[in-house]
């Protein structure tokens, strides 16, 4: 049974990935597995897809739910053709006054759960399979008022690049997707404590375009996928400029002292 597994499928780029995979894999995909906490959203998405869908309403930060995914994999013994790890969240604001549970929750979901799901699913992948990991352009440099989130995405980028190299001999590729700001529900969560990134509007991308590029790059087995000229430029600059200087400029931008 050939399967695609998508986490974070209830909204944003995970949802978009499910829709595009549904269209692209017209041959030989038996089921698409959709994972997120909001079951109603997953059901609505399932009704829009042409493939048979298995809905897994799971909280990937809960041990019990991770074990449920493991059990489903054990029972169904699928041949996973593509895994898209899109579950994740960020929280904007000063670390000192933040809720600690929200900070550690990012590490749990963005790093630990992503690692657990990847490890679990890898056993059910064969030569030719692909893994798509949602990192972020925030992985390219540390970010003030987004420090833990940026660190989690640096983890995803580093982990994905080395795993891609490690898995080459098995014919499995890993693509880290590193978008700048994307127009999804992400910022509803990220900016809920009245802190915001006022410069994000200048760089906002559309989810369908970011995901299309990610899937094309995964098809070509690229290790990193960066959408838009601006974000490719940002990536290049972050390789050149001292990060201390970048952090200063970012702080000024965030405080509205430059734009
Ligand atoms: N939007 C951006 O600007 C942007 C930029 C760069 C990278 N990213 C990354 O891209 C990925 C997708 O983000 P998005 O923009 O599509 O955001 P989004 O619309 O907020 O989607 C996040 C997804 O994660 C799921 N999720 C959250 N907590 C979960 C949990 N405990 N267990 C299982 N699923 C959980 C949500 O579903 P439920 O709430 O139903 O569980 C939702 O489907 C994330 O990793 C994000 O960090 C986003």
């Amino acid at each position: 049974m050939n399967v695609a597994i998508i986490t974070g499928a209830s909204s944003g780029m995970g949802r978009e990935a499910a829709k595009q995979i549904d269209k692209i894999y017209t041959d030989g995909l038996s089921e698409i597995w959709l994972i997120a906490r909001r079951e109603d959203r997953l059901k609505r998405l399932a009704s829009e897809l042409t493939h048979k869908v298995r809905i897994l309403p799971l909280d990937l930060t809960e041990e019990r739910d991770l074990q449920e995914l493991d059990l489903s994999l054990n029972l169904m013994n699928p041949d996973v053709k593509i895994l898209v790890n899109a579950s994740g969240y960020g929280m904007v604001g000063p670390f000192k006054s933040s809720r600690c549970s929200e900070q550690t929750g990012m590490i749990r979901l963005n790093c630990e759960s992503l690692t657990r799901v990847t490890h679990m699913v890898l056993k059910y992948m064969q030569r030719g399979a692909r893994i798509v990991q949602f990192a972020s352009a925030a992985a390219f440099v540390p970010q003030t008022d987004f420090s833990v989130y940026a660190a989690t995405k640096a983890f995803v980028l580093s982990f994905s690049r080395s795993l891609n190299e490690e898995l080459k001999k098995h014919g499995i590729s890993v693509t880290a997707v590193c978008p700048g700001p994307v127009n999804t529900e992400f910022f509803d969560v990220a900016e809920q404590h009245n802190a915001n990134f006022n410069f994000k509007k200048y760089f906002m991308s559309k989810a369908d375009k970011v995901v299309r590029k990610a899937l094309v790059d995964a098809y070509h087995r690229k290790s990193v996928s960066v959408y838009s000229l601006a974000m490719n430029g940002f990536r290049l600059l972050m390789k050149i400029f001292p990060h201390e200087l970048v952090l200063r400029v970012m702080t000024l931008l965030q405080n509205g002292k430059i734009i």
Side-chain angles (χ1 to χ4, degrees), residues 23 102 113 216:
K23 283 204 185 101
E102 287 180 347
S113 306
V216 169

Side-chain angles (χ1 to χ4, degrees), residues 38-55:
R38 287 169 291 179
E39 191 173 7
D40 53 330
R41 294 278 200 102
L42 298 180
K43 282 184 176 159
R44 208 179 316 151
L45 173 60
S47 70
E48 294 170 24
L49 305 183
T50 57
H51 283 86
K52 189 176 169 209
V53 170
R54 186 171 299 266
I55 290 171

